[in-house]
Amino acid sequence: MIARFFDHFAAQVTKWAGSPVAFGIALIAVIIWGLSGPAFGYSETWQLVINTGTTIITFLMVFLIQQSQNKDSEALHLKLDELLIAVEGADEGLVDAERLDEDKLLALAAACTARARKQHRQRARSRRSNRH
């Protein structure tokens, strides 16, 4: 239940934080803070207010945004995995490739690149032979 609440909360806050309204509120807050500088003599306390406020907000937003990105990434991988399984001739070995360690992933990427180049050459040869 807590995980579901956090997931929903993170999605809503992330969506709102990326909105023009949120940007406008943040911009207005910074402008008000900047304009209030002379009234506070540009003191260390005046500077500390913006530094502390932005640090706290940034710290908390990192976790909320990461939750939303993790969920989006997982959904995207599931959709791609479904396509790999459904498409005849697709390399089903790529399903769950995101879970491989970096060395295995790099080797898999090199193999895919080599296979793509080979297919490109074969198609180019086939097109040339069909023209003649």
Side-chain angles (χ1 to χ4, degrees), residues 74-124:
E74 187 66 26
L76 180 63
H77 286 293
L78 288 170
K79 291 173 185 179
L80 291 172
D81 290 348
E82 177 63 21
L83 289 172
L84 285 170
I85 293 166
V87 173
E88 190 174 324
D91 183 355
E92 292 180 10
L94 294 173
V95 171
D96 282 339
E98 68 276 7
R99 300 198 192 318
L100 296 174
D101 64 38
E102 188 172 359
D103 289 339
K104 289 179 183 172
L105 197 56
L106 289 172
L108 185 59
C112 284
T113 300
R115 194 171 73 232
R117 286 183 180 150
K118 181 179 177 184
Q119 285 182 349
H120 177 73
R121 286 190 302 269
Q122 288 173 344
R123 287 181 184 144

Side-chain angles (χ1 to χ4, degrees), residues 2-128:
I2 292 173
R4 190 177 312 154
F5 170 78
F6 180 68
D7 181 48
H8 180 71
F9 178 74
Q12 294 302 314
V13 170
T14 302
K15 184 176 179 180
W16 180 82
S19 72
V21 172
F23 176 78
I25 290 170
L27 181 62
I28 289 168
V30 170
I31 290 170
I32 290 171
W33 171 80
L35 292 174
S36 71
F40 292 98
Y42 300 103
S43 68
E44 287 184 21
T45 301
W46 173 79
Q47 292 176 29
L48 191 60
V49 166
I50 196 75
N51 289 339
T52 303
T54 56
T55 300
I56 290 170
I57 290 168
T58 301
F59 177 74
L60 295 174
M61 287 302 295
V62 164
F63 297 101
L64 296 176
I65 292 169
Q66 188 62 53
Q67 164 64 15
S68 292
Q69 286 182 336
N70 288 348
K71 182 180 172 186
D72 289 348
S73 177
E74 187 66 26
L76 180 63
H77 286 293
L78 288 170
K79 291 173 185 179
L80 291 172
D81 290 348
E82 177 63 21
L83 289 172
L84 285 170
I85 293 166
V87 173
E88 190 174 324
D91 183 355
E92 292 180 10
L94 294 173
V95 171
D96 282 339
E98 68 276 7
R99 300 198 192 318
L100 296 174
D101 64 38
E102 188 172 359
D103 289 339
K104 289 179 183 172
L105 197 56
L106 289 172
L108 185 59
C112 284
T113 300
R115 194 171 73 232
R117 286 183 180 150
K118 181 179 177 184
Q119 285 182 349
H120 177 73
R121 286 190 302 269
Q122 288 173 344
R123 287 181 184 144
R125 279 188 217 119
S126 176
R127 281 193 297 267
R128 281 193 300 264

